[in-house]
Amino acid sequence: MRIATTIAAAREHLAACARPVGFVPTMGALHAGHIALLAAARAACASVVASLFVNPMQFAPNEDFSRYPRDAQGDREQFERAGVDVLFAPDANEMYPPDFSTYVEVGSIGASFEGALRPAHFRGVATVVAKLLNVIAPDVLYLGQKDAQQTAVLRKLVADLAFNVRVEIVPTVREGDGVALSSRNQYLNERERSEAPSLHRALQTVESALRSGAAKETALERGASALSPLAVLDYLDVVDADTFAPSDGLKAPAYIIGAARFGTTRLIDNLRVER
Ligand code: AMP
């Protein structure tokens, strides 16, 4: 595995890579969800490129940037084992030199849900991914369904700005009890971790209510009541999978999306509804 910490070195390594190149952007603290993305890229592409960059631009000042889990050495070993050919691991100064001043605004697709609760989040995500796509110039971009609104925002970015890349969405990897793997799960204490499966159960409850013919509002009420009383629900809704506009859940494809706080830790999850 070649490791590049500068844009110039990444471009040099990329020039020697066989095509197609599959690209998996990450913020590290790797878990089986990240490994599933890397495996999908490894299975379909001649070369696999990953990035490891905890992007300060997508965190608000009151969020967890400084305590976000970091394990550069452990991550490097996992990237290597997953068959990554090139790892791009820049520092913040390489990505955002002091005179950096250009940003990607994402519009209404990123204004609701995560975007409403985290106002500068998707601007930060879109800006860093646009820059990463320009550095790596991959043929396929691998994203996790776990962050469903992010996938919709980035598909729109790719379409609107005509990036020459195909986007592949990899299904969410879960623990045995249904909790979606997330680098942030390690913030949960024992009690919170034992309540965390209730977010997935809430989504499943909405899905089965919709499938049994309940109206959307009724389905959402039933779903909310499946959430642990110790958790604080940020949102629970059904949206169009492409636009993230509200959906009645009957038009496919849709996502049932939810976010809840367990103590100080926010978890997000979703189920995709196909018909
Ligand atoms: P992150 O390091 O959290 O920025 O995530 C990097 C990529 O891994 C994103 O495309 C995420 O959607 C994806 N990802 C995170 N958790 C999971 C999971 N449990 N299953 C599948 N993909 C995931």
Side-chain angles (χ1 to χ4, degrees):
M1 181 172 79
R2 319 292 282 288
I3 300 178
T5 57
T6 65
I7 290 169
R11 288 200 162 127
E12 214 170 281
H13 294 330
L14 257 299
C17 280
R19 297 266 160 187
V21 168
F23 175 46
V24 180
T26 83
M27 298 204 301
L30 296 192
H31 52 63
H34 298 110
I35 302 302
L37 269 62
L38 295 166
R42 189 66 282 169
C45 298
S47 305
V48 177
V49 179
S51 62
L52 167 50
F53 180 59
V54 185
N55 176 32
M57 200 189 286
Q58 70 190 66
F59 291 80
N62 63 335
E63 292 182 346
D64 57 343
F65 174 70
S66 57
R67 72 178 186 122
Y68 194 83
R70 289 167 172 86
D71 177 16
Q73 183 55 36
D75 285 345
R76 238 175 265 144
E77 287 164 16
Q78 292 209 61
F79 281 124
E80 179 112 50
R81 270 203 300 278
V84 169
D85 297 293
V86 177
L87 174 63
F88 180 45
D91 66 15
N93 212 44
E94 180 71 6
M95 292 299 278
Y96 307 124
D99 61 347
F100 186 92
S101 66
T102 304
Y103 300 86
V104 178
E105 297 291 349
V106 301
S108 63
I109 195 165
S112 55
F113 306 108
E114 288 306 293
L117 291 156
R118 309 180 67 190
H121 177 65
F122 287 125
R123 174 196 212 233
V125 169
T127 301
V128 78
V129 171
K131 186 156 187 172
L132 290 169
L133 290 175
N134 281 327
V135 173
I136 310 296
D139 300 287
V140 192
L141 170 65
Y142 289 87
L143 301 171
Q145 185 199 315
K146 155 79 172 29
D147 299 285
Q149 192 173 9
Q150 174 170 280
T151 67
V153 164
L154 293 178
R155 273 190 193 281
K156 191 84 177 30
L157 167 90
V158 164
D160 285 352
L161 299 185
F163 281 99
N164 194 13
V165 67
R166 185 161 61 81
V167 179
E168 283 287 332
I169 311 295
V170 176
T172 303
V173 178
R174 300 178 181 282
E175 303 277 9
D177 62 6
V179 172
L181 291 178
S182 163
S183 306
R184 291 189 168 97
N185 289 352
Q186 47 187 286
Y187 298 155
L188 298 167
N189 66 28
E190 209 176 309
R191 177 86 188 271
E192 292 158 357
R193 178 61 188 79
S194 72
E195 305 291 330
S198 70
L199 178 57
H200 183 228
R201 279 202 300 277
L203 300 172
Q204 289 175 312
T205 303
V206 175
E207 182 177 31
S208 58
L210 287 174
R211 287 200 189 284
S212 66
K216 176 177 168 179
E217 288 316 312
T218 309
L220 293 177
E221 272 164 32
R222 283 189 209 158
S225 64
L227 188 72
S228 159
L230 294 180
V232 178
L233 188 63
D234 276 345
Y235 58 76
L236 182 64
D237 214 332
V238 187
V239 296
D240 181 279
D242 295 322
T243 63
F244 258 68
S247 158
D248 59 11
L250 301 174
K251 281 194 260 16
Y255 285 115
I256 303 165
I257 55 171
R261 281 168 281 147
F262 296 80
T264 55
T265 303
R266 263 188 99 240
L267 300 183
I268 64 171
D269 200 353
N270 68 81
L271 292 179
R272 193 174 166 97
V273 184
E274 307 278 1
R275 258 166 226 280

